[in-house]
Amino acid sequence: MTSTARWLEVHRLAVAGREAGIARKIGGVLGRVWLARSRFADVARLTEYTLTLGDDARARYQMGWAQHSTGSPWAALSSYARALELYRTAHDRGNEAATLSNIGLVYDGLGDRRQALAYYERALLILREVGDRAGEAATFNNIGLVHDGLGDRRQALAYYERALLILREVGDRAGEATTLNNIGLVYKRLGDREQALAYYERALLILREVGDRAGEATTLNNIGGVYDGLGDRRQALAYFEQALPITREVGDRAGEATTLNNIGGVYHGRGDGQQALTYYEQALPITREVGDRAGEATSLNNIGGVYHGLGDRQGALTYYEQVLLILREVGDRFGEAITRYNVAMIYRRGGELDRAVVELEQVVDLDRQVGHPDLESDTAMLDQVRREQQQGGSATGAQPP
């Protein structure tokens, strides 16, 4: 029996024997390990058993994390709200701040960035009060991510730079690497791929120095993504193939699925749709196994893109409809806008302009709701398709992204 299996058996016996203290302690340790390995569904079940013995802040917190990761944002908000109440009752200011930050993450995922920022600012006040400099830096990173999502790259960089200063001050090398990765992502989105690579390479050196294998795999994926964007698919593949065995070594199933999707993307970009499908179809069951609804939607979206590229219009629409069901279920309006755009472009290319307009109208509405940076270009596309509709013609526009 492995050590994890032994601890799980101890937890089971503690629950059966109504030994709340033991169950909470063992459940908390196992939950932390499993969250790091993307075993979100297992964490949800584990915390449910722990909570049969009475309310517990850490169990509620870990349940919220698992629910958010498995595509149940509203349930996650409920769990975090209860954890927050319990931490406040216990005057546990550090965990109160951590919970506020995680609530911010849920709202950010829902596209409600105003609420996300409000929670991050509340967390920031507590972290400064208790002198948690590393936590303050992590919150600056989260605020930077919100601004990056809003398309305000200058503000995002400003927050990341503030985080970087603190992390260097407190000697948090892993946190420094995370921030360098975030900065690299901003430069990638700005189209400055040389700067992006420079930051990613600095992050990689640190992660190898401190032995953070999971972080190393993430950064290798990031570097591969830059080379893929540059059209250097051989280099991209080399980095993704370095990342893949590391994700398996550390048991990061969600990271493994991400890497498989990235490798599939390289083959898709090469025009090898069948090989791309092989990798996407390996990623899909992993996302379902760990309950990663967002990852499942990504894999389904990628498969739909391959079928579209292969000229199988109906196959593509079938997969995109599955994606939309998940995105609506988890409240991902940002992702829904992107997928609906893809659907609209299929209808447009098929001459079904009425249906394309209906989809694009929803895209623009969703863009407005979440402050999507593509609002202007999507509105222009809607106007263009409306003109084509009035002229009674069809178009063969560019392939959807």
Side-chain angles (χ1 to χ4, degrees), residues 270-297:
R270 284 179 171 180
D272 190 342
Q274 292 302 325
Q275 186 75 319
L277 278 177
T278 298
Y279 282 95
Y280 293 151
E281 289 171 350
Q282 288 181 62
L284 186 59
I286 295 174
T287 62
R288 287 172 171 163
E289 172 197 320
V290 302
D292 182 359
R293 297 290 274 162
E296 181 182 352

Side-chain angles (χ1 to χ4, degrees), residues 106-264:
V106 177
Y107 278 114
D108 191 22
L110 287 168
D112 191 342
R113 296 193 168 94
R114 181 187 59 78
Q115 276 278 55
L117 286 173
Y119 277 95
Y120 290 148
E121 292 294 344
R122 288 165 65 185
L124 203 54
L125 288 174
I126 295 172
L127 291 162
R128 286 170 171 164
E129 173 194 319
V130 301
D132 183 353
R133 297 287 280 160
E136 184 180 347
T139 307
F140 279 142
N141 265 309
N142 288 341
I143 294 171
L145 286 168
V146 173
H147 286 292
D148 192 21
L150 289 167
D152 189 344
R153 316 291 187 216
R154 182 186 60 79
Q155 272 282 62
L157 285 173
Y159 278 99
Y160 292 150
E161 291 294 345
R162 290 169 76 180
L164 206 54
L165 286 173
I166 294 171
L167 291 162
R168 286 171 175 162
E169 172 193 319
V170 300
D172 183 348
R173 298 287 278 159
E176 181 181 347
T178 297
T179 309
L180 290 169
N181 265 313
N182 287 344
I183 294 171
L185 182 58
V186 172
Y187 280 112
K188 180 187 173 185
R189 287 174 174 160
L190 287 169
D192 190 341
R193 293 189 171 91
E194 291 305 316
Q195 273 281 59
L197 281 175
Y199 278 96
Y200 290 151
E201 292 289 353
R202 286 164 63 187
L204 191 61
L205 286 173
I206 293 171
L207 291 162
R208 285 174 170 164
E209 173 192 318
V210 301
D212 183 347
R213 296 287 278 163
E216 181 181 349
T218 297
T219 309
L220 289 166
N221 268 307
N222 288 344
I223 294 171
V226 173
Y227 281 111
D228 196 25
L230 289 167
D232 189 343
R233 295 195 171 94
R234 182 186 58 79
Q235 273 280 61
L237 202 55
Y239 278 97
F240 294 147
E241 288 176 344
Q242 286 182 66
L244 189 59
I246 297 175
T247 62
R248 289 169 172 163
E249 171 195 321
V250 300
D252 182 1
R253 297 290 275 161
E256 181 182 350
T258 296
T259 310
L260 289 165
N261 271 315
N262 287 342
I263 294 172

Side-chain angles (χ1 to χ4, degrees), residues 27-76:
V29 172
L30 273 176
R32 186 171 64 247
V33 171
W34 284 352
L35 286 170
R37 294 183 176 180
S38 312
R39 292 181 61 176
F40 308 121
D42 289 334
V43 172
R45 283 190 293 272
L46 183 75
T47 53
E48 282 176 6
Y49 287 126
T50 301
L51 289 168
T52 62
L53 303 180
D55 229 345
D56 177 66
R58 181 160 61 169
R60 290 287 183 188
Y61 178 89
Q62 291 184 346
M63 177 174 276
W65 190 325
Q67 288 167 330
H68 182 208
S69 301
T70 54
S72 299
W74 302 111

